[in-house]
Amino acid sequence: MPSSIAWWRHAVVYQVYLRSFADGNADGTGDIAGLRSRLPYLRDLGVDAVWVNPWYASPLKDGGYDVSDYRTINPDFGTLSEATEMITEANGLGLRVLVDLVPNHTSSEHVWFQEALRSPSGSPERARYHFLPGRGAEGVEPPNDWVSVFGGSAWTRLPDGEWYLHLFDPTQPDLNWGNADVRAEFRDILRFWLDRGASGFRVDVAHGLIKHPEYPDVGVVEEMLSMPRDVDDHPFWNRDEIHDVVKEWRSILDDYPGSVMVAEAWVADWDRLALYLRPDEYHQVFNFHFLLSPWDRESMQESIAAALDASSEVGALPTWVLSNHDVVRHATRYGLPQDFDSRSWLLDGDRALLDAGLGSRRAKAATLLMLALPGSAYLYQGEELGLPEVFDLPIEVLDDPVWEKSGHSLKGRDGSRVPIPWTRGGASLGFGDDGAWLPQPEGWGELSVETQTNVEGSSLEFYRNALQVRSQILGDGTVEWLDMGPSVLAFRRGRGTTVVNFGPDPVEIPAGEVLTSSSDLVGGLLPPDATVWIIGH
Ligand code: NOJ
């Protein structure tokens, strides 16, 4: 296990979407047994830590982000003792484990919500959630105009006439963070997992915990599944009181040296986002600005510079991420016209718009760029294989609540969650000994770990090599931008120089030893849509 307390500052964290990683018991669903069997693969890949998506008891209405018991493991995934054994084994291989904390909402099957349903209006049981009377004659209208992130009203009415709040699916009632029981419960949950060896938490919907006490109307229709509007005193996003909760959690983590929390906070304004990174708050926040940036030199550089500046203001480092289980995989995003809504394209967009080869080249170039930046990088399972989004999943297999809740206007996020291919052939391509809960597309076996291992030029070997030599390019310097023309992003850090070519023509690169590049150099020049790492003298 890495000994440094600040191990996370430049760490590479690998996101395991457990359902789709590896299936140890041939039921078609990934599980802890499968993950345990693949830990050596992750060690060999060269990552420092693993973030495991929610594995708790859950009816899986939102892939496990609907938790019915935060201290037990969903039987589909294994048992609590398997989870703790997995953590110990991972630690033994030098891998830290981050658990996914889901504090904004529980499942409607959580014992607290079930108690609330059985209890009268105004009871302490209901006070743990947000229950309100409706508006209009006999309260038949929702209490306000808030819209769920997945679509439709954020309120659902109970037979007794009261409404409850759910910023996501109706099966995910929002907790009331003004309630002392809620605060105490989560303090205990944090300790529960830290005591079992977890090195910390990825915190879900970190920007949504606190709601305006008077529940005022928002007044505008919020766009679903994207960066929320960032305004002062928004009724439910990014409210100042969130920081009191974070400080409380941080004081607990400080009792466990080396533990870390990373916020999933969709906050548009960097100065406001940086508040989450103050020394007594989160260690890290996800940097979705970088992920959302189109593939062009100016936007990328602006987003990087803004992240570096804002984090350094509070003495922190940024994080970088290009793919996760909520967004279209970057190998596909970058193959579509930029400034384009790839989520809508999934459903019925013109398939001819996709240039898959271009997407793959840009994806590798972006990865190399990300890994050269100060701070920590998050990889999403399968990106090391160059997996694209599976955009043609049949409608009948869709599992993501977004499909129904958006009134069938968005296909949802399943295309990034297809079980990953480990072998060229066989049942579910080595994912398990039987089928896979989402169908794997034709040709997926050619992208498998088996097919790519030890194959020069494969995506997997490219990632392994980049992770192995990364420490040389990181140096310890800060970023010094180099001017190499309008289409080239270049910077130096210590002895290392990173050059990214966004333009249409090959470009010259500085003298030095080429550590690695995302595409082969041609006649010593860096081709379009490629990144190179160079060590100077
Ligand atoms: C963010 C998670 O990443 C996403 O998958 C989930 O649907 C929502 N939060 C709600 O928990």
Side-chain angles (χ1 to χ4, degrees):
M1 177 112 123
S3 52
S4 158
I5 289 186
W7 64 273
W8 45 271
R9 283 174 68 83
H10 291 99
V12 176
V13 183
Y14 185 96
Q15 179 190 350
V16 171
Y17 194 74
L18 199 58
R19 276 177 116 180
S20 305
F21 188 64
D23 173 12
N25 65 352
D27 65 355
T29 294
D31 48 34
I32 296 172
L35 170 56
R36 284 171 81 175
S37 73
R38 300 294 181 182
L39 287 173
Y41 166 81
L42 296 176
R43 176 203 50 203
D44 296 345
L45 183 60
V47 299
D48 303 294
V50 176
W51 148 34
V52 186
N53 282 103
W55 52 7
Y56 316 101
S58 162
L60 296 181
K61 299 290 186 203
D62 180 23
Y65 284 96
D66 46 321
V67 182
S68 51
D69 183 345
Y70 293 83
R71 296 181 188 79
T72 59
I73 298 289
N74 187 325
D76 289 348
F77 298 149
T79 62
L80 183 58
S81 45
E82 280 182 275
T84 45
E85 281 161 25
M86 188 284 288
I87 295 173
T88 308
E89 278 166 24
N91 289 174
L93 295 174
L95 297 165
R96 305 261 183 173
V97 177
L98 303 183
V99 172
D100 209 319
L101 188 75
V102 189
N104 181 65
H105 42 261
T106 66
S107 160
S108 51
E109 292 187 15
H110 191 283
V111 61
W112 273 4
F113 194 71
Q114 290 299 313
E115 281 170 14
L117 291 181
R118 290 193 298 270
S119 304
S121 168
S123 59
E125 288 79 5
R126 288 205 174 183
R128 293 170 179 147
Y129 294 89
H130 299 273
F131 283 89
L132 284 189
R135 293 202 286 208
E138 290 167 33
V140 293
E141 300 293 332
N144 61 31
D145 67 353
W146 298 1
V147 169
S148 144
V149 174
F150 292 161
S153 171
W155 298 90
T156 289
R157 196 173 197 204
L158 297 172
D160 66 16
E162 276 213 326
W163 298 74
Y164 69 89
L165 175 68
H166 50 85
L167 290 184
F168 294 87
D169 193 70
T171 61
Q172 295 167 293
D174 279 48
L175 285 164
N176 173 9
W177 274 87
N179 180 276
D181 287 356
V182 173
R183 301 274 278 249
E185 174 70 352
F186 275 83
R187 287 196 298 270
D188 196 69
I189 292 168
L190 289 177
R191 289 194 187 278
F192 181 88
W193 289 105
L194 292 166
D195 286 340
R196 279 161 184 75
S199 289
F201 305 92
R202 175 268 187 191
V203 179
D204 191 56
V205 200
H207 57 307
L209 299 190
I210 305 282
K211 279 73 183 182
H212 193 298
E214 282 151 25
Y215 305 93
D217 279 347
V218 170
V220 291
V221 178
E222 307 270 337
E223 205 193 325
M224 284 183 285
L225 290 178
S226 59
M227 189 74 87
R229 278 181 325 123
D230 192 10
V231 290
D232 285 338
D233 210 24
H234 188 287
F236 52 86
W237 292 137
N238 195 28
R239 294 190 60 75
D240 290 344
E241 303 87 332
I242 289 176
H243 297 287
D244 301 335
V245 177
V246 180
K247 287 181 181 137
E248 189 172 293
W249 292 347
R250 177 63 186 254
S251 69
I252 294 174
L253 266 79
D254 284 346
D255 289 345
Y256 297 79
S259 63
V260 53
M261 10 175 228
V262 52
E264 188 227 11
W266 293 81
V267 178
D269 180 66
W270 252 113
D271 290 333
R272 295 164 67 111
L273 184 56
L275 298 177
Y276 289 75
L277 284 172
R278 287 175 290 191
D280 56 349
E281 298 205 20
Y282 282 98
H283 303 76
Q284 297 181 331
V285 294
F286 283 123
N287 169 6
F288 295 120
H289 302 72
F290 180 66
L291 182 152
L292 294 172
S293 169
W295 180 259
D296 74 64
R297 204 269 310 156
E298 222 179 324
S299 318
M300 282 283 195
Q301 189 164 346
E302 265 173 32
S303 95
I304 294 167
L308 291 171
D309 287 352
S311 335
S312 75
E313 288 280 309
V314 287
L317 281 168
T319 63
W320 311 97
V321 61
L322 290 164
S323 281
N324 64 37
H325 64 293
D326 290 331
V327 300
V328 174
R329 281 184 180 272
H330 67 289
T332 300
R333 247 177 24 236
Y334 290 139
L336 287 165
Q338 298 301 288
D339 279 330
F340 179 80
D341 185 357
S342 49
R343 296 163 315 164
S344 311
W345 175 86
L346 293 178
L347 180 59
D348 50 12
D350 179 0
R351 300 313 189 213
L353 289 175
L354 177 66
D355 181 341
L358 180 70
S360 304
R361 286 195 298 282
R362 288 181 173 174
K364 286 166 81 180
T367 298
L368 220 47
L369 164 62
M370 155 170 103
L371 291 174
L373 292 166
S376 142
Y378 280 75
L379 308 181
Y380 179 45
Q381 69 179 37
E383 73 169 78
E384 75 278 20
L385 305 176
L387 294 188
E389 183 83 3
V390 182
F391 54 79
D392 51 3
L393 281 174
I395 296 300
E396 336 50 278
V397 305
L398 296 181
D399 182 72
D400 185 353
V402 167
W403 168 242
E404 288 300 336
K405 293 289 161 226
S406 69
H408 300 175
S409 67
L410 288 174
K411 205 165 175 184
R413 302 161 292 176
D414 293 313
S416 65
R417 302 173 178 181
V418 174
I420 66 173
W422 293 92
T423 53
R424 184 178 268 121
S428 59
L429 306 172
F431 166 67
D433 291 333
D434 207 335
W437 71 279
L438 282 173
Q440 298 158 305
E442 282 291 306
W444 208 232
E446 289 313 305
L447 296 171
S448 67
V449 173
E450 179 185 54
T451 312
Q452 297 195 40
T453 297
N454 294 330
V455 173
E456 216 188 303
S458 72
S459 178
L460 178 56
E461 294 304 335
F462 162 75
Y463 266 77
R464 280 190 180 142
N465 181 50
L467 292 173
Q468 205 183 353
V469 299
R470 177 171 175 255
S471 59
Q472 296 181 51
I473 198 79
L474 286 185
D476 52 7
T478 49
V479 167
E480 179 196 339
W481 297 108
L482 306 176
D483 185 359
M484 291 183 58
S487 310
V488 177
L489 184 150
F491 58 89
R492 200 164 23 227
R493 298 191 58 201
R495 290 179 59 235
T497 302
T498 299
V499 183
V500 191
N501 183 3
F502 288 87
D505 303 311
V507 294
E508 287 192 10
I509 56 172
E513 178 202 341
V514 170
L515 263 186
T516 183
S517 60
S518 64
S519 295
D520 288 340
L521 301 185
V522 182
L525 301 179
L526 181 66
D529 303 304
T531 300
V532 64
W533 287 352
I534 300 157
I535 293 293
H537 306 287

